[in-house]
Amino acid sequence: MAKGHSNPGSVTGHASWQQLFRQWCDGELAAGHVGILDQAVPAFESIVIESALAYTGGRKKDAAGLPGWGQNTITGKIKELNLEPSAPPEQPSAHLKEDLMV
């Protein structure tokens, strides 16, 4: 297995994030919701950015490479997703996480 990659089913006794995400998608579609990527993609990107920034101690330049982006891309995504430290984030990741746990 490549360095930095984990086995999606490696968490013993727990559902993988992909299984939880599939359950969320199935529930949204069953409820008649459309355009679910408009909710899921920003939540996913927010989680990735927040994790990368936490891992690098807030250093955008270092955090950018972790998901495979450049510094301009992560800076733009931070602004687009309202993740700037001066403005409290909207926490779309929290909403998706709550929905996944249902």
Side-chain angles (χ1 to χ4, degrees), residues 1 5-7 10 12 14-15 18 23 25 28 38 42 48-49 56 59 62 67 74 77 88 92 94 96-98:
M1 188 168 312
H5 295 198
S6 62
N7 181 351
S10 65
T12 306
H14 298 286
Q18 293 97 332
Q23 290 172 3
C25 288
E28 291 296 299
D38 293 337
V48 170
I49 291 167
T56 63
R59 294 182 310 276
D62 296 333
I74 199 168
K77 293 280 185 187
L96 182 59
K97 184 177 179 181
E98 289 170 10

Side-chain angles (χ1 to χ4, degrees), residues 8-9 21 24-25 29 31 37 40 42-43 46 63 65 70 72 76 80-82 90-91 94 99:
F21 184 64
W24 177 82
C25 288
L29 295 173
L37 282 176
S46 293
N72 289 341
E80 175 187 330
L81 297 167
N82 296 317
E90 294 236 350
Q91 300 286 330
D99 290 340

Side-chain angles (χ1 to χ4, degrees), residues 4-84:
H5 295 198
S6 62
N7 181 351
S10 65
V11 181
T12 306
H14 298 286
S16 70
W17 70 268
Q18 293 97 332
Q19 290 168 321
L20 293 171
F21 184 64
R22 182 178 302 279
Q23 290 172 3
W24 177 82
C25 288
D26 291 345
E28 291 296 299
L29 295 173
H33 298 151
V34 295
I36 60 175
L37 282 176
D38 293 337
Q39 182 180 358
V41 171
F44 180 83
E45 289 179 342
S46 293
I47 291 167
V48 170
I49 291 167
E50 289 166 350
S51 293
L53 287 170
Y55 184 80
T56 63
R59 294 182 310 276
K60 290 181 196 175
K61 184 176 182 178
D62 296 333
L66 297 176
W69 292 331
Q71 189 172 357
N72 289 341
T73 300
I74 199 168
T75 299
K77 293 280 185 187
I78 288 169
K79 289 178 184 173
E80 175 187 330
L81 297 167
N82 296 317
L83 298 176
E84 289 289 343

